[in-house]
Amino acid sequence: MQPVRKAVLPAAGLGTRFLPVTKSIPKEMLPLVDKPAIQYVVEEAVQAGITDVLVITGRGKGAIEDHFDRNPELERVLERAGKTALLQEVKAPDGLADVHFIRQHEALGLGHAVSVAEPHVGDEPFVVMLGDDIMIDDAALLTRMLAVHEETGGSVLALMEVTREEISAYGALTGEVVREGVMRARGVVEKPAPEAAPSNLAVIGRYVFTPGIFGALRETQPGVGGEIQLTDAIGILLEREPVFGVTFTEGGYDGGTKVDYLRANPALGLARDEL
Ligand code: UTP
């Protein structure tokens, strides 16, 4: 079996839930303490053994590319001033992994954004990580998901139990328990109405996919909101291949919502001795 080396980070969304700041600043670049949200996601990927990261960007997302590039002018100033620790912080994002960028020319949905990665990913299993979901768990969830992929050869989704009211903001998964914390997926519905939700297990923004997802995406028609939904492609995939879910309870912050963004900041700040 091929090892999982590549991660795809879709970051081309419009971030409407975070307006007005996202009018000119990519949601992925909003700071959590002193680092942009997307840097935590890349660090998590690297911690789980990923060496190649592809960020899906779009118009107005140039700041993300700048952040993962060098800034020789700034580096020279810090070097001359003897600010060694800061210099290391400034250089760090560029040294994390082999980071690539590709544009999704139009925000046609998360599923479409993932399909844009196909030429880069090729015929290999890969990880998809949403910058919206910040995990403060030393990559424990992603590491468990990769272990389930290695054991089964199937795709693996991250699952979190939410309330009936909350499920309408997520994809809801049905399936049966294989063992504690691991499920075999049987069906998935994007943003169901609470009364129609088939379960309260929400699919969260960490995925391990076989390349079979690209074939499923090609067959996926626009769904909720007129967008090509990744959830709908997963629905096609699980009719063809085994798909699993790994549940988690702690360490997740939905940085796409203002409340969780506010919660993540003190959590990350308090974890640092100097703060
Ligand atoms: P969201 O729907 O949460 O992101 O998509 P959004 O569109 O940026 O935010 P809202 O809903 O308007 O506030 C989940 C992830 O998929 C990416 C987003 O960048 C985010 O990481 N995405 C979404 C794309 O890359 N392309 C798209 O066409 C849609």
Side-chain angles (χ1 to χ4, degrees), residues 24 36 40 51 56 86 92 144 189 249-250 264 267 269:
S24 55
Y40 290 92
T51 53
I56 314 292
L86 264 185
R144 278 173 60 216
V189 184
T249 50
E250 274 162 35

Side-chain angles (χ1 to χ4, degrees), residues 33-163:
V33 187
D34 54 5
K35 287 192 283 195
I38 195 166
Q39 185 174 337
Y40 290 92
V41 180
V42 175
E43 286 172 353
E44 179 192 340
V46 170
Q47 216 174 347
I50 298 294
T51 53
D52 181 296
V53 172
L54 177 69
V55 185
I56 314 292
T57 67
R59 270 178 306 286
K61 301 279 183 169
I64 303 177
E65 293 191 43
D66 288 345
H67 187 71
F68 289 98
D69 197 358
R70 297 283 296 271
N71 184 334
E73 197 184 354
L74 179 59
E75 287 171 23
R76 271 196 299 275
V77 169
L78 294 173
E79 214 169 320
R80 263 191 244 123
K83 295 185 172 169
T84 326
L86 264 185
L87 180 64
Q88 292 317 317
E89 293 282 350
V90 162
K91 283 181 170 175
D94 178 54
L96 278 172
D98 207 356
V99 184
H100 309 265
F101 299 89
I102 192 166
R103 275 194 177 216
Q104 181 191 22
H105 298 289
E106 205 179 332
L108 297 176
L110 172 58
H112 181 261
V114 172
S115 71
V116 167
E118 185 173 5
H120 181 87
V121 170
D123 196 25
E124 291 184 28
F126 66 107
V127 163
V128 171
M129 304 171 77
L130 304 190
D132 271 1
D133 287 305
I134 300 295
M135 294 299 305
I136 304 175
D137 70 341
D138 289 325
L141 170 65
L142 190 58
T143 303
R144 278 173 60 216
M145 293 171 70
L146 288 166
V148 171
H149 167 74
E150 207 166 292
E151 172 194 329
T152 62
S155 294
V156 187
L157 315 173
L159 301 175
M160 185 177 75
E161 222 173 283
V162 299
T163 63

Side-chain angles (χ1 to χ4, degrees), residues 9-19 22 27-28 56-58 61 104 106-114 128-133 169 190-191 207 227-229 254 256-257:
L9 275 52
L14 301 176
T16 54
R17 281 172 299 165
F18 245 101
L19 282 167
T22 45
K27 181 170 64 176
E28 298 75 15
I56 314 292
T57 67
K61 301 279 183 169
Q104 181 191 22
E106 205 179 332
L108 297 176
L110 172 58
H112 181 261
V114 172
V128 171
M129 304 171 77
L130 304 190
D132 271 1
D133 287 305
E190 180 65 13
K191 298 191 171 65
Y207 313 79
E227 297 191 341
I228 307 281
Q229 296 288 352
D254 182 354
T257 68

Side-chain angles (χ1 to χ4, degrees), residues 195-244:
E195 59 282 7
S199 81
N200 62 342
L201 279 176
V203 178
I204 303 296
R206 296 289 179 275
Y207 313 79
V208 182
F209 284 124
T210 65
I213 192 69
F214 293 124
L217 279 165
R218 273 193 288 279
E219 291 165 40
T220 304
Q221 300 300 315
V224 175
E227 297 191 341
I228 307 281
Q229 296 288 352
L230 184 59
T231 306
D232 295 341
I234 294 170
I236 295 174
L237 187 69
L238 55 79
E239 299 287 330
R240 299 178 179 164
E241 297 180 11
V243 176
F244 296 86

